[in-house]
Amino acid sequence: KFYIDNNPNGIYLDEATSLFEKLDSKIINKSDSLMIIKLFDDYYKALSDKDADKIKQLFAQPIESFLAKPNARVSDVVAYMERLHAPKDVKAISFDLAGDWTIVKISSGKGRPKYEVGFTVDYKINRTNVNKKAFHSYKVSAKISPSGRISSLDMSLAGI
């Protein structure tokens, strides 16, 4: 960037500009991070609130993978949400994003990037049966499409 700014007519301007743009396209900036955090915060809040309409807005079609199911549909995500709330002893559920984000920005060739994201989420269950497990921690691996929607989401128990 220094060369580009200080040598507007330099003989290496084209190469420097090309390399700078390539490097810049991989840098995660604050707006990237905020968009990603909001997307997953909205998803887990929709799961907690049993908000199927919101979930439908957050996912790309088709979904590359959802909880190890390839070529999933939004209906699979909604069915998962319903299963979380189905047991009679479940009063409420909540999710807390741990903030341990790993984000990789990938050029999509369509002007807008896509992302690969990893993080941990804690799943808390408010149950009437206090003898059942009420807490799980998951490692999440996800992808975000160039349109800013979740295109893949897989989870595994953390610490295993």
Side-chain angles (χ1 to χ4, degrees):
K1 181 81 171 137
F2 179 82
Y3 179 84
I4 295 167
D5 291 342
N6 292 300
N7 297 284
N9 298 317
I11 61 172
Y12 300 108
L13 184 61
D14 289 342
E15 289 100 345
T17 302
S18 176
L19 288 172
F20 176 76
E21 288 172 355
K22 187 174 182 179
L23 178 63
D24 192 50
S25 72
K26 296 178 188 275
I27 294 173
I28 308 300
N29 58 45
K30 188 168 182 120
S31 65
D32 293 326
S33 296
L34 291 174
M35 180 273 296
I36 290 165
I37 291 167
K38 182 177 180 347
L39 177 66
F40 289 102
D41 191 50
D42 286 353
Y43 167 66
Y44 284 106
K45 183 170 180 3
L47 277 182
S48 296
D49 294 345
K50 206 172 178 182
D51 187 345
D53 291 332
K54 183 66 172 179
I55 285 174
K56 291 173 186 174
Q57 296 171 15
L58 299 172
F59 278 84
Q61 285 295 327
I63 302 168
E64 191 177 310
S65 175
F66 181 72
L67 303 180
K69 179 181 180 182
N71 302 313
R73 298 177 182 269
V74 173
S75 59
D76 296 313
V77 182
V78 171
Y80 169 69
M81 175 196 69
E82 290 170 351
R83 283 193 308 274
L84 292 176
H85 290 272
K88 292 184 193 303
D89 72 324
V90 172
K91 293 194 288 187
I93 64 172
S94 65
F95 295 88
D96 292 316
L97 304 175
D100 58 345
W101 299 91
T102 58
I103 302 170
V104 176
K105 191 176 192 178
I106 302 165
S107 173
S108 68
K110 298 177 183 174
R112 296 169 77 186
K114 52 188 179 178
Y115 303 88
E116 292 181 356
V117 182
F119 60 95
T120 305
V121 64
D122 294 331
Y123 169 43
K124 298 174 186 170
I125 310 163
N126 184 349
R127 296 180 181 273
T128 56
N129 182 348
V130 295
N131 295 322
K132 283 190 174 179
K133 191 163 184 174
F135 179 85
H136 302 277
S137 192
Y138 292 97
K139 289 285 185 186
V140 177
S141 175
K143 294 179 182 177
I144 301 172
S145 70
S147 66
R149 294 185 175 172
I150 301 168
S151 59
S152 176
L153 189 141
D154 293 300
M155 299 188 326
S156 60
L157 281 171
I160 293 181

